[in-house]
């Protein structure tokens, strides 16, 4: 009875841990969106900073409570739009200070010329706003809060100097905090928040069809990080070897390994199946080892070789002969199992279609897992990719992953092109802001393009000028959306460049 209770407690603890991991993962994905991050920063930092200034005002007379309205408004502007027109420390501090000085000057001038007491307030307000507008325009300090600080001087009584001093001190404190936040967190959010920049280092490549270009592309991705490595995997179908008496392994391994088994079987006749399978595995391993050595020297990345035994099971349904040729007999289940055993967080596989022109069941099976996947279609045998083009619909996690991969594989110092397509010019400003938010999180040169055209029309013109084009897998779209508008990569079969279809794993 006691053991049963303990087992139930342990099961409950495991469920709670899984729930906690799912919640943390959901929160991480939510905060990856720049808009959500800014909203959260406003909710956290604006109250903290205003609270700190309030505490300072309570313990000293250097800060007047009258500066809180413009200070709170300006602080919100800083954190809500850190790349905006008014979000520079000089503009923030200078604008508020100039406004306070102009208001003080206007009040002193109207008092000095002896205007009637009942008109001093109105005259000072009008003159203060005029001087503030003129000075901020001349000094390029167009700051909305400057007008607030100019008007609040009128109700400070004889404490104008303390008010202006408080403006300088409090706004400088807020500006310093904002600079630290922007420099060490906001501009580094790709490093702290975005999953692909700190992961996708261990890359598995199914080598059933022996496509070396795909392996080189994977090595370029892994080699960009110090912790990167490449795992080349092939499989020997033991069931096929047993059925043919050691005469054919082509259905589960590469064509080269199958030819080796056929030749051996024709020589030795009814040789033992286990020995034939072992020789086929050895031949496949030798072939992969040769490629692994080449990758290690060319891309400075560790490379491992795995030859797995596939018992012939097909977890994702039967495949046509064309699909077998595309994945070389490797099943999606076996590839995913190997990726988990080898601690791989990215799979780069050759692009393949079924007889209907849709994604092969092999790739669909990979897309259903929690591991990130790139389906790569090469147009020619490249060893390096100098120019990259990234086509995005928004600034979500898939777009960030594509941009990160493009930065990794393209030649250092060359600008990565990022594009999005719109239906009308009224959408241009929003699209430009989206691209700005996307590329701002990464370091390096970028080119951004907003085109009023269909995706396929624009990419057919722009892609040939680049070595590789990154597009999303569209698996994050609803079924209705995919029915009305098919995924982009279905329209790009004839694109004259390499195409990398990026899928973000369904993290659980």
């Amino acid at each position: 009875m006691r053991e049963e209770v303990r087992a139930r407690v342990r099961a409950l603890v495991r469920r709670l841990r899984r729930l906690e991991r799912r919640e943390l993962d959901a929160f991480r994905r939510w905060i990856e969106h720049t808009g959500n991050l800014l909203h959260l920063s406003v909710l956290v930092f604006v109250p903290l900073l205003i609270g700190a200034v309030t505490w300072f005002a309570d313990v000293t007379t250097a800060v007047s409570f009258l500066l809180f309205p413009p200070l709170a408004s300006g602080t919100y502007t800083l954190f809500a739009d850190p790349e905006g027109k008014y979000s520079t420390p000089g503009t923030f501090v200078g604008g508020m200070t100039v406004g306070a000085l102009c208001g003080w000057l206007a009040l002193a001038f109207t008092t000095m010329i002896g205007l009637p007491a009942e008109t001093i307030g109105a005259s000072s307000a009008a003159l203060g706003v005029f001087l503030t507008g003129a000075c901020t325009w001349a000094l390029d300090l167009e700051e909305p809060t400057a007008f607030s600080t100019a008007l609040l001087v009128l109700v400070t009584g004889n404490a104008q100097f303390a008010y202006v001093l408080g403006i300088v001190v409090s706004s400088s404190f807020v500006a310093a905090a904002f600079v630290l936040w922007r420099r060490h967190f906001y501009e580094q959010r790709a490093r702290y928040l975005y999953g692909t920049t700190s992961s996708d280092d261990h890359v598995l490549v199914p080598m059933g069809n022996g496509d070396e270009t795909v392996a080189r592309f994977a090595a370029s991705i892994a080699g960009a990080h110090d912790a990167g490595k490449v795992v080349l995997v092939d499989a020997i179908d033991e069931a096929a070897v047993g059925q043919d008496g050691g005469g054919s392994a082509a259905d589960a391994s590469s064509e080269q390994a199958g030819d080796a088994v056929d030749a051996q079987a024709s020589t030795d006749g009814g040789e033992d199946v286990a020995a034939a399978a072992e020789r086929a595995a050895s031949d496949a391993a030798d072939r992969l080892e040769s490629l692994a050595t080449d990758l290690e020297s060319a891309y400075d990345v560790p490379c491992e070789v795995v030859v797995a035994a596939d018992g012939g099971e097909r977890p994702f349904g039967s495949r046509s002969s064309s699909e077998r040729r595309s994945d070389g007999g490797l099943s999606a289940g076996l590839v995913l199992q190997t990726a988990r055993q080898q601690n791989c967080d990215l799979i780069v596989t050759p692009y393949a279609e079924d007889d209907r022109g849709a994604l092969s069941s092999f790739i669909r099976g990979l897309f259903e897992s929690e591991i990130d996947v790139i389906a790569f279609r090469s147009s020619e045998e490249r060893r390096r990719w100098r120019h990259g083009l990234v086509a995005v619909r928004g600034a979500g996690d898939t777009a960030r992953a594509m941009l990160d991969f493009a930065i990794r594989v393209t030649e250092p110092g060359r600008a990565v092109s990022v594009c999005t397509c719109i239906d009308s010019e009224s959408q241009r400003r929003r699209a430009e802001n989206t691209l700005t938010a996307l590329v701002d999180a990464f370091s390096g040169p970028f080119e951004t393009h907003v085109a009023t055209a269909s995706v396929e029309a624009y990419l057919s013109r722009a892609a040939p000028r680049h070595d590789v084009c990154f597009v999303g897998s569209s698996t994050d779209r609803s079924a209705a959306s995919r029915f009305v508008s098919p995924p982009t990569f279905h329209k790009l079969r004839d694109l004259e460049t390499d195409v990398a279809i990026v899928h973000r794993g369904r993290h659980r």
Side-chain angles (χ1 to χ4, degrees), residues 82-373:
E83 302 296 334
K85 180 179 181 180
Y86 304 118
S87 296
T88 60
T91 299
F92 176 70
V93 177
M96 293 185 66
T97 303
V98 167
L101 290 173
C102 288
W104 186 10
L105 178 62
L107 181 61
F109 178 77
T110 54
T111 303
M112 181 185 65
I113 63 176
L115 291 177
E118 61 272 13
T119 63
I120 288 180
S123 301
S124 299
L127 182 58
V129 170
F130 171 78
L131 291 176
T132 299
C135 291
T136 54
W137 183 18
L139 298 174
D140 196 21
L141 294 173
E142 296 183 45
E143 176 63 43
T145 55
F147 296 97
S148 299
T149 58
L151 292 174
L152 287 173
V153 173
L154 304 180
V155 293
T156 57
N158 296 321
Q160 289 89 1
F161 176 76
Y163 175 75
V164 174
L165 178 62
I167 288 288
V168 175
V169 173
S170 59
S171 61
S172 298
F173 170 73
V174 170
F178 169 73
V179 168
L180 291 176
W181 171 83
R182 186 174 65 179
R183 180 177 301 169
H184 297 289
F185 180 74
Y186 180 74
E187 293 180 350
Q188 301 295 324
R189 62 190 184 278
R191 173 184 175 186
Y192 297 124
L193 298 178
Y194 299 164
T196 58
T197 59
S198 58
S199 61
D200 291 329
D201 296 328
H202 297 177
V203 186
L204 182 137
V205 186
M207 292 298 297
N209 64 356
D211 193 337
E212 293 189 6
T213 304
V214 176
R216 296 185 184 281
F217 183 79
S220 297
I221 292 177
H225 287 182
D226 295 336
K229 76 170 182 178
V230 176
V231 178
L232 306 178
V233 61
D234 201 350
I236 298 298
D237 193 334
E238 294 176 332
V241 173
Q243 181 180 358
D244 296 340
S248 178
D251 186 49
S253 182
S254 63
E255 185 176 338
Q256 294 92 326
D259 292 342
V261 174
D262 288 339
Q264 187 65 33
S266 64
T267 303
D268 299 336
E271 187 174 15
D272 182 75
V273 174
E278 184 177 352
R279 270 192 297 275
S282 177
D283 291 339
D286 291 342
R287 177 176 57 86
L288 295 185
E289 287 286 358
S290 176
L291 176 59
T293 301
D294 186 14
L295 295 179
E296 288 180 347
S297 60
Y299 301 94
D300 191 25
V301 59
C303 193
E304 300 177 2
V305 169
V306 175
V307 179
D310 190 351
E313 63 177 274
R314 297 293 182 256
F316 296 94
S318 59
R319 297 195 297 271
S320 65
S321 59
S322 62
E323 290 181 281
R324 287 195 180 94
R325 285 195 297 272
S326 67
D327 61 44
L330 282 165
S331 68
L334 179 62
V335 170
L336 293 172
Q337 178 184 356
T338 306
R340 296 182 185 109
Q341 291 174 346
Q342 297 296 320
N343 195 30
C344 293
D345 45 17
L346 175 64
I347 298 173
V348 178
T349 184
Y351 176 77
E353 297 179 348
D354 59 18
D355 295 333
R356 298 168 297 178
L359 285 177
S360 68
S361 60
F362 173 75
I363 295 181
R364 292 200 306 271
L366 297 181
F367 281 2
E368 292 174 0
S369 74
E370 78 284 2
I371 302 176
D372 294 346
V373 179

Side-chain angles (χ1 to χ4, degrees), residues 211 213-214 217 348-353 363 374-380 382 385 463 467-469 489-501:
D211 193 337
T213 304
V214 176
F217 183 79
V348 178
T349 184
Y351 176 77
E353 297 179 348
I363 295 181
I374 296 179
F376 185 74
R377 192 208 71 184
S378 59
S379 61
E380 57 182 87
R382 286 188 175 92
W385 291 263
D467 297 329
V468 58
C469 175
F489 61 86
H490 283 172
K491 311 171 187 177
L492 304 179
R493 293 186 178 91
D494 299 327
L495 211 60
E496 297 178 2
T497 189
D498 294 351
V499 178
I501 303 169

Side-chain angles (χ1 to χ4, degrees), residues 370-431:
E370 78 284 2
I371 302 176
D372 294 346
V373 179
I374 296 179
F376 185 74
R377 192 208 71 184
S378 59
S379 61
E380 57 182 87
E381 295 183 358
R382 286 188 175 92
R383 290 175 173 263
R384 299 286 181 180
W385 291 263
R386 302 178 62 188
H387 305 278
L389 174 64
V390 181
V392 302
R393 290 188 296 117
D397 57 343
T398 300
R400 289 189 293 270
M402 291 191 292
L403 185 54
D404 177 54
F405 293 142
I407 294 171
R408 294 201 210 181
V409 302
T410 53
E411 187 173 289
R414 290 190 178 273
V416 175
S417 297
V418 187
C419 71
T420 190
C421 295
I422 57 177
D423 297 324
S424 63
E425 285 298 318
S426 61
Q427 301 172 337
R428 179 171 295 275
R429 181 181 294 268
R430 183 176 181 180

Side-chain angles (χ1 to χ4, degrees), residues 32-54:
E32 281 183 358
H33 290 267
T34 302
N36 295 334
L37 174 63
L38 294 179
H39 283 303
L40 185 62
S41 298
V42 167
L43 290 176
V44 173
F45 291 101
V46 174
L48 286 177
L49 290 173
I50 297 302
V53 174
T54 303

